[in-house]
Amino acid sequence: MAESADYESFYRRSIDQRDDFWAEQAQLIEWQTPPQRICDYDNPPFAKWFVGGTTNLCHNAVDRHLRERAEQNALIALSSETDTEQVYSFAQLHQEVQRMAAVLQALGVKQGDRVLIYMPMIAEAAFAMLACARIGAIHSVVFGGFASSSLATRIEDAEPVAIVSADAGSRGGKGVPYKPLLDEALELSKYKPAAVLMVDRGLAPMAMREGRDHDWATLRARHMDAQVPCVWVDSTHPSYTLYTSGTTGKPKGVQRDTGGYAVALAASMKHIFQAQAGQTYFSTSDIGWVVGHSYIIYGPLLAGMATVMYEGLPTRPDAGVWWSIVAKYQVTHMFSAPTAVRVLKKQDPAYLKKYDISCLKTLWLAGEPLDEPTAQWISDALQIPIVDNYWQTETGWPILTLCNGVQQQPSRFGSPGKAVYGFDVRLIDESTGQELTEPNQKGVVAIEGPLPPGCLQTVWRDDERFVDTYWKSIPGRLIYSTFDWGIRDADGYYFILGRTDDVINVAGHRLGTREIEECIAGHSSVAEVAVVGVADAVKGQVAMAFAVVRDATAVQDEAGRKQLEAEIMKRVDGQMGAVARPARIHFVALLPKTRSGKLLRRALQAVAERRDPGDLTTIEDPGALLAIRDMLG
Ligand code: ATP
Ligand code: MG
């Protein structure tokens, strides 16, 4: 392969000689029939990748490794909630996945059928995803923490032949029964699936409905020696649907293909993650999110790595639990989110020194802006490269990061790095639609079509929404909008300035709330902060900040609050100018977040403006928002 050591030429080739570039990457996976055409973009913005090729995700993630690493660890399922550890080799995983595949087939699931997976972070969830891929069924994983109404809408949208679930999850040592929520969702849903498969962990009693509900252990016992061959599917066959986090509104059902996704992930494991078969990958995400799909299940397994699936909090039994896992299983690659690092930052730093984690090579962080103080803190603590990466449920893999597998490049804290090969990233002036080509100009981060392999094919059952939502927001040109603001410096490093709907307009000045948040987060007393724009009769909008302090005693009384508020305002004045100064800084115990850990600014803004906060189905803790509403009076 003509691989350059120079990232710039590697990147240019991926754009200028797109088909040659991706034809080479396609060799990283095994095909039953090789692709006839690399990219069909005859009907923009719909891209078809590796047309004519047939393959199977499960074959590439599991079966192909049996030749060389059958006895090597593949799946390490750990729970600090139930205090259990299960380790599966590739051979054992292969067997379990075939049992699950046989059970699903016995329940009537066929190629192209949907299977909804509503499960905690247990090994059976991985078996179910891989079993679907094996038989060409389309999985739709719904985050286990969702309540019945969110679940019901997703059931209606997916129309699954079968649902796989469990009696309960567990969080902070408390069982969270799933079955009652599932039963309620099935009552609410107009669509009724034929079969429900329940994994009984013995955590909560379950009412089983005759004829519809089945017990996994019983059916598994009937298929112990199951041999279910992989179904070779077209490259463009949908592998799964998955919903976005719902941070900005109603979640969108992303539809992913098979061949493009497999190639994109396999290539990312090489060029971004510098993965080697036999190493161990630990992503702290959840299978309910895109990071869980790409970098707990498929990516690491495609690369022949062992993958850690962890049920539990980062702070229980204590704040050393992640590092104990790293040490015990010799984790080399770790993937987490800034929000989790901020949680650890509030804990005793001694936990970071308690275990020998010299095996760990790199920590990747994604999902939210990684502010400089947080990046610096974790970098100082771990003394390994910290690599920010920016992407979306829609894209399935990073748009911006440092491809250290191609060429080692220095991190710049505050920046997720450069445009990733395959992504023709542009900055666009929102009002004119003009492209911004000079350094340090602020624009909407957009991607010229075709999107590279692995990105969404369309919105599930809604081509029109796909085109209208993503490709028509910039006047006069068909280009994919990420709905995030960014700038690019002279060296090609991007900085994400927040979402396009998180911009506030103070007396005619357009300010990114993220920039104000960065500035406030730099104050040593602040652990976490959210800034929103609030309607103001005089200025149009004013900034309002909600901050969580590191030490609550500092803001116990009015005098303490006033002093800290004044200090922070002075800091904003000094760094950004008085125009950015928040009208008020409210000190709160908790900020409202989505279940994937993202700040729900739209809900905060609505409450601050005394409006109805709208769709809150993805909120982690409604109490956080209620407390703020009460505080504002
Ligand atoms: P919805 O689209 O339903 O409103 P969402 O955008 O939060 O929800 P995701 O696909 O989970 O759903 O998140 C993608 C978004 O997360 C990005 O568009 C960006 O705003 C933010 N993001 C992800 N990674 C980073 C990062 N490294 N730096 C800054 N922002 C990031
Ligand atoms: Mg989004």
Side-chain angles (χ1 to χ4, degrees), residues 1-4 6-25 421-422:
M1 188 194 282
E3 200 164 282
S4 168
D6 164 15
Y7 183 67
E8 181 58 23
S9 49
F10 185 81
Y11 175 79
R12 279 307 345 150
R13 189 157 178 274
S14 76
I15 305 296
D16 300 338
Q17 284 143 280
R18 184 186 71 206
D19 284 9
D20 290 348
F21 178 90
W22 285 109
E24 281 167 18
Q25 307 305 320
Y421 59 88

Side-chain angles (χ1 to χ4, degrees), residues 423-495:
F423 286 96
D424 192 356
V425 182
R426 311 287 177 102
L427 288 175
I428 305 285
D429 181 302
E430 194 183 31
S431 45
T432 64
Q434 292 292 311
E435 192 172 331
L436 304 170
T437 49
E438 295 298 313
N440 304 320
Q441 290 177 295
K442 181 166 147 185
V444 180
V445 180
I447 306 167
E448 194 74 66
L451 295 176
C455 295
L456 79 168
Q457 293 181 291
T458 184
V459 171
W460 173 249
R461 284 187 167 159
D462 202 344
D463 286 348
E464 210 176 294
R465 190 169 178 210
F466 171 65
V467 178
D468 291 347
T469 306
Y470 296 105
W471 297 87
K472 294 224 167 132
S473 71
I474 305 217
R477 88 189 261 189
L478 190 73
I479 191 166
Y480 176 89
S481 175
T482 62
F483 299 103
D484 290 309
W485 293 106
I487 57 168
R488 179 177 53 227
D489 71 12
D491 301 319
Y493 283 76
Y494 284 79
F495 293 79

Side-chain angles (χ1 to χ4, degrees), residues 25 64 104 127 144 184 239 281 290 306 327 401 468 500 572 574 586 623:
Q25 307 305 320
R64 72 176 289 193
L104 291 178
F127 304 159
E184 209 178 301
S239 58
Y281 200 105
V290 68
T401 191
D468 291 347
T500 51
V572 178
H586 296 287

Side-chain angles (χ1 to χ4, degrees), residues 67-116:
R67 295 193 293 266
E68 282 178 26
R69 48 186 54 86
E71 302 314 317
Q72 180 202 301
N73 287 355
L75 179 68
I76 302 168
L78 309 175
S79 173
S80 62
E81 296 287 335
T82 55
D83 223 354
T84 49
E85 306 191 356
Q86 290 154 305
V87 181
Y88 299 87
S89 66
F90 276 101
Q92 289 166 325
L93 181 60
H94 182 236
Q95 194 56 66
E96 290 296 346
V97 170
Q98 292 188 88
R99 289 170 186 152
M100 182 66 84
V103 169
L104 291 178
Q105 283 178 333
L107 295 177
V109 177
K110 292 184 296 294
Q111 178 175 354
D113 288 344
R114 273 80 55 208
V115 173
L116 189 137

Side-chain angles (χ1 to χ4, degrees), residues 244-249 251-252 366-369 388-394 482 484 496 499 598:
T244 59
S245 295
T247 311
T248 54
K252 300 163 281 270
E368 268 193 305
D388 189 358
N389 58 117
Y390 160 86
W391 45 298
Q392 307 182 304
T393 307
E394 291 86 344
T482 62
D484 290 309
I496 298 294
R499 297 168 187 261
K598 293 163 191 284

Side-chain angles (χ1 to χ4, degrees), residues 106 382 523:
L382 293 179
H523 190 290

